[in-house]
Amino acid sequence: MTKNIAIVLGSFHKAEADEMLDEARQAAEANELNVTEVVWVPGSMEKPLAVKKLLQRDDIDGVAVLGIIERGETKHGLVMGTVVTEAILRLQLEFMKPIGFGILGPEILPEQIQPRIRAYAKKAVDALAAILS
């Protein structure tokens, strides 16, 4: 039976997120997962709420969360990355549904982003497939 997944992305790095979405869709197809919902949010802080709304649905078996939290001049990205990751892990345990984590960073440098985009998206969906099988 085919499992239904959703994908949550931040639009702050739109071009890179589009590339991640393309790779995630390809990985879903390769893993025989059906992408039934794609949700765009402004940035990483909004991702846990979007994920929670999706996990509450009976027709969603898992969620892939994709995006980028780059290094800035302050520790804002590090703090945001920590709290977002923690919130997402709690949701996975609360709902007992898998969440594939494909957020680059925190504190990733701009030159490190492009080489990792496709791999992170693919691994997030592959993680869902492994748990859902």
Side-chain angles (χ1 to χ4, degrees):
M1 181 170 159
T2 302
K3 300 289 186 173
N4 294 326
I5 67 166
I7 301 173
V8 174
L9 304 104
S11 61
F12 189 80
H13 293 92
K14 183 72 164 86
E16 294 86 350
D18 281 336
E19 192 173 341
M20 293 180 95
L21 178 58
D22 180 57
E23 185 67 30
R25 286 184 186 279
Q26 290 177 39
E29 185 176 334
N31 284 294
E32 298 180 353
L33 298 173
N34 186 30
V35 178
T36 60
E37 190 82 36
V38 174
V39 177
W40 288 91
V41 296
S44 289
M45 289 299 281
E46 297 81 18
K47 289 175 185 169
L49 180 58
V51 169
K52 184 170 187 168
K53 287 181 169 187
L54 290 162
L55 293 176
Q56 290 173 331
R57 292 174 39 179
D58 291 334
D59 65 327
I60 298 292
D61 298 302
V63 178
V65 182
L66 309 176
I68 301 165
I69 300 174
E70 11 179 354
R71 179 180 293 174
E73 294 179 13
T74 67
K75 294 295 181 188
H76 172 74
L78 183 60
V79 171
M80 183 173 33
T82 301
V83 296
V84 168
T85 300
E86 191 174 304
I88 289 170
L89 287 172
R90 279 196 315 269
L91 289 169
Q92 182 171 239
L93 296 173
E94 177 185 343
F95 288 92
M96 295 304 292
K97 292 182 181 182
I99 300 172
F101 193 83
I103 298 176
L104 283 76
E107 298 209 330
I108 192 165
L109 297 171
E111 63 271 14
Q112 296 171 320
I113 294 171
Q114 191 58 44
R116 291 171 171 82
I117 287 174
R118 290 198 169 269
Y120 270 62
K122 181 181 184 321
K123 288 178 182 179
V125 175
D126 288 346
L128 287 177
I131 295 170
L132 290 171
S133 64

